[in-house]
Amino acid sequence: DAPHFGHEIVKKIVYKGAAEGTSKMPLAVELLKALARDGAVSSSQLAKGMVRSLVGLKDLSLDVPDASSNVDSLVAELIKEGMLAQTFKAHATAMTGALQ
């Protein structure tokens, strides 16, 4: 067990979901919900993984042109599900400049 690396799992799920497109985003949300519910990923690791995903979004967008909008949709859904704070998008944008 390496709970301090949960953010890496989150980042990989986000990138995979973004690459697969909006049709796969509900699966990414469900997977993240299950990991959080089962304690495999803490809320702080979820937030850290999302921020790390946003930091690398510009590079991912070179290979996946829709990555930014896909990740934006994922963030919105995670906020709606209560997995990320309502203020996450504003704080992440201030930190990374990744979301519009």
Side-chain angles (χ1 to χ4, degrees):
D1 284 315
H4 51 280
F5 287 111
H7 61 91
E8 282 295 327
I9 295 168
V10 172
K11 182 179 170 187
K12 289 190 181 297
I13 292 169
V14 171
Y15 280 11
K16 182 68 171 169
E20 295 292 326
T22 56
S23 65
K24 299 293 183 182
M25 283 304 186
L27 295 174
V29 171
E30 289 303 315
L31 180 55
L32 290 170
K33 282 173 45 177
L35 290 170
R37 180 184 61 240
D38 294 343
V41 173
S42 68
S43 59
S44 63
Q45 288 294 308
L46 175 67
K48 184 176 180 179
M50 291 304 300
V51 168
R52 291 195 66 230
S53 298
L54 297 175
V55 168
L57 192 55
K58 191 178 282 189
D59 288 337
L60 180 62
S61 293
L62 295 173
D63 296 323
V64 183
D66 293 335
S68 182
S69 63
N70 292 345
V71 172
D72 193 32
S73 297
L74 178 66
V75 168
E77 189 61 29
L78 292 175
I79 290 171
K80 181 179 150 193
E81 292 287 334
M83 295 179 66
L84 291 174
Q86 291 288 329
T87 57
F88 176 82
K89 191 172 181 178
H91 289 291
T93 301
M95 288 183 349
T96 67
L99 295 177
Q100 300 302 326

